[in-house]
Amino acid sequence: MEKEKLIKSSETIGGGGLESSLTQLIHDHNLTTIKTREQADKAKKEALKGAIRVSDLLVETVNGGVQETYVNQKRIENEIRALTASTIRFTKQTDQWLSDSHSINSSLKEIGDFENWMRTMDYDCKIINAAIRNIYKP
């Protein structure tokens, strides 16, 4: 808009010495400034588009890594749950085996105690038998 006004005003400026030359210089300077500003705005917009694209690419890259990490985390959590369940099952089985082992040990002790009791009873019976024979000996 400003550019069009300056172009129109430059058409109306006629020749006329130093004043018109200075006016023409100012006018040219204003046109150059406007062109430079437009180029700077265009470059700024292009730089902004490029920065947005780079930012989007970086976000996609980071999100891709985050998504992969999330999937791995869920997979690890599922494995932990499975291993925890297996560990609990094995712990119960081991406790059952220990209980059975203690039962067997107790039974073996009882058998050993019974054998010992039987030997003692056998010995006592032999002593009693010998005592009774000594009493009835003719």
Side-chain angles (χ1 to χ4, degrees), residues 54-68:
V54 168
S55 175
D56 289 343
L57 289 173
L58 289 173
V59 168
E60 287 176 17
T61 302
V62 170
N63 283 344
V66 169
Q67 182 180 9
E68 184 179 340

Side-chain angles (χ1 to χ4, degrees), residues 7-37:
I7 291 172
K8 285 182 182 178
S9 66
S10 68
E11 292 171 356
T12 60
I13 298 175
L18 182 61
E19 190 175 321
S20 76
S21 293
L22 287 177
T23 307
Q24 183 64 37
L25 272 172
I26 292 172
H27 178 65
D28 290 344
H29 173 72
N30 287 338
L31 280 176
T32 306
T33 303
I34 290 171
K35 286 180 184 177
T36 305
R37 188 177 304 137

Side-chain angles (χ1 to χ4, degrees), residues 53-121:
R53 179 67 183 142
V54 168
S55 175
D56 289 343
L57 289 173
L58 289 173
V59 168
E60 287 176 17
T61 302
V62 170
N63 283 344
V66 169
Q67 182 180 9
E68 184 179 340
T69 302
Y70 178 77
V71 168
N72 287 338
Q73 179 183 0
K74 288 301 175 185
R75 190 177 306 136
I76 289 169
E77 287 174 358
N78 289 336
E79 287 293 324
I80 288 171
R81 285 187 198 104
L83 288 172
T84 301
S86 295
T87 302
I88 290 170
R89 190 176 70 245
F90 290 143
T91 301
K92 288 179 181 178
Q93 188 175 13
T94 303
D95 289 343
Q96 182 63 41
W97 288 348
L98 284 173
S99 175
D100 292 345
S101 172
H102 288 305
S103 295
I104 290 171
N105 283 342
S106 295
S107 296
L108 289 175
K109 282 183 183 179
E110 289 175 7
I111 290 172
D113 289 345
F114 181 73
E115 286 178 8
N116 189 30
W117 178 78
M118 288 295 293
R119 283 189 206 121
T120 304
M121 290 300 293

